[in-house]
Amino acid sequence: MPLVVVLRLGHRVGRDERITTHVGLAARAFGADEIIIAGDRDDAVVESINKVSQQWGGSFKASYTENWVSLVKEWKNNNRAVVHLTMYGLPLQQVIQQLRLEQASRDMLVIVGGPKVRAETYRLADYNVAVTNQPHSEVAALAVFLDWLFAGRELEKIHEGGRMRIIPQPRGKKVVHI
Ligand code: SAM
C-alpha cells in the first residue's frame, strides 16, 4: 500500500509544541503513516509523538528534517505525489477523486504550513488543496483531508501492538493494559 506522509512546516520551539504534537497525533489517528517536522529542531515533540505510537500501537513514525525543500524535491524526483493544504488552493471536493487515484498508485506527501508559508511551497506542490477557502488550522485541515482521502476507512483502522487499548463504552472509560 502506498504511504501517506505528512510534512509539517515552520515549527517554532517555545510556541508550537502543542499544535505540532496535535498535527502528529491527528496524522496518526486519521491514517497517515508518518510525520516529518521542519522548522526548529525539537526532539521533545518528535519523541512525544513517537511515545504515543509505542503506547497506543501502530507503526506511525515522527522525525525531523533540516531541509524540507530538498526533501520535497527528492520526493518529486522519485515520482511521488506532493499535496499542499492551503486555503488558496482548489476545493477538496473538486480534486478528491484525482487524489484518491493518486493515493492508490503512489506515495503521497501532504504538506501543512505553520504561521507563514514560503511562496515556493505552492510551486513545488503537484496539488494545492483547500479544505474550504476560509482560514482555520493545520490540524483541522489535515484531519478533514485525510478523512476524505481515505473515505472514512481510517476510522476502522486497527493500530496493532501498543501497551494500551480502549474498550469503547457508552459511558465512562475502560482501558486495557496489554
Ligand atoms: N497564513 C499562513 C499562510 O501563509 O498561508 C497559513 C496559516 S494557517 C494557521 C496554517 C496552515 O493551516 C496552513 O499553512 C494550511 O496548511 C492549513 N490551513 C488553514 N486553513 C486551511 C484551509 N482552509 N484549507 C487548507 N489548509 C488550511
Side-chain angles (χ1 to χ4, degrees):
M1 197 56 186
L3 299 175
V4 175
V5 175
V6 173
L7 173 62
R8 193 279 195 270
L9 303 182
H11 175 75
R12 299 164 301 176
V13 167
R15 296 182 73 167
D16 292 333
E17 284 80 0
R18 189 173 153 83
I19 192 152
T20 300
T21 303
H22 285 188
V23 172
L25 298 187
R28 174 182 173 275
F30 288 89
D33 298 284
E34 193 179 328
I35 184 169
I36 302 170
I37 297 165
D40 294 346
R41 184 180 194 111
D42 192 339
D43 294 339
V45 165
V46 168
E47 208 175 292
S48 80
I49 298 167
N50 284 329
K51 227 179 199 171
V52 170
S53 297
Q54 285 156 20
Q55 272 188 331
W56 294 95
S59 54
F60 188 84
K61 295 257 175 313
S63 63
Y64 172 77
T65 181
E66 239 172 43
N67 191 339
W68 68 267
V69 175
S70 302
L71 184 144
V72 174
K73 285 183 177 164
E74 194 188 316
W75 195 273
K76 285 166 72 83
N77 287 341
N78 289 323
N79 192 33
R80 298 188 278 182
V82 177
V83 174
H84 171 217
L85 299 185
T86 165
M87 63 190 278
Y88 303 103
L90 295 178
L92 176 65
Q93 60 276 25
Q94 280 179 20
V95 291
I96 191 62
Q97 281 188 350
Q98 179 64 31
L99 293 174
R100 284 181 184 148
L101 289 175
E102 289 277 22
Q103 195 275 318
S105 63
R106 55 182 184 149
D107 294 343
M108 181 177 280
L109 187 70
V110 183
I111 304 176
V112 292
K116 269 191 199 141
V117 176
R118 270 161 52 183
E120 65 194 315
T121 318
Y122 296 82
R123 186 177 43 78
L124 285 169
D126 299 313
Y127 301 91
N128 287 290
V129 178
V131 182
T132 79
N133 293 112
Q134 302 300 319
H136 50 86
S137 122
E138 46 272 55
V139 181
L142 181 64
V144 172
F145 175 78
L146 291 174
D147 184 56
W148 275 56
L149 186 67
F150 296 125
R153 291 187 308 280
E154 81 288 356
L155 300 180
E156 310 287 344
K157 184 170 175 171
I158 293 166
H159 297 263
E160 299 285 356
R163 297 195 290 270
M164 307 211 293
R165 185 161 306 151
I166 290 170
I167 312 293
Q169 303 292 305
R171 262 170 238 101
K173 302 178 190 174
K174 188 167 181 182
V175 180
V176 288
H177 296 258
I178 302 152

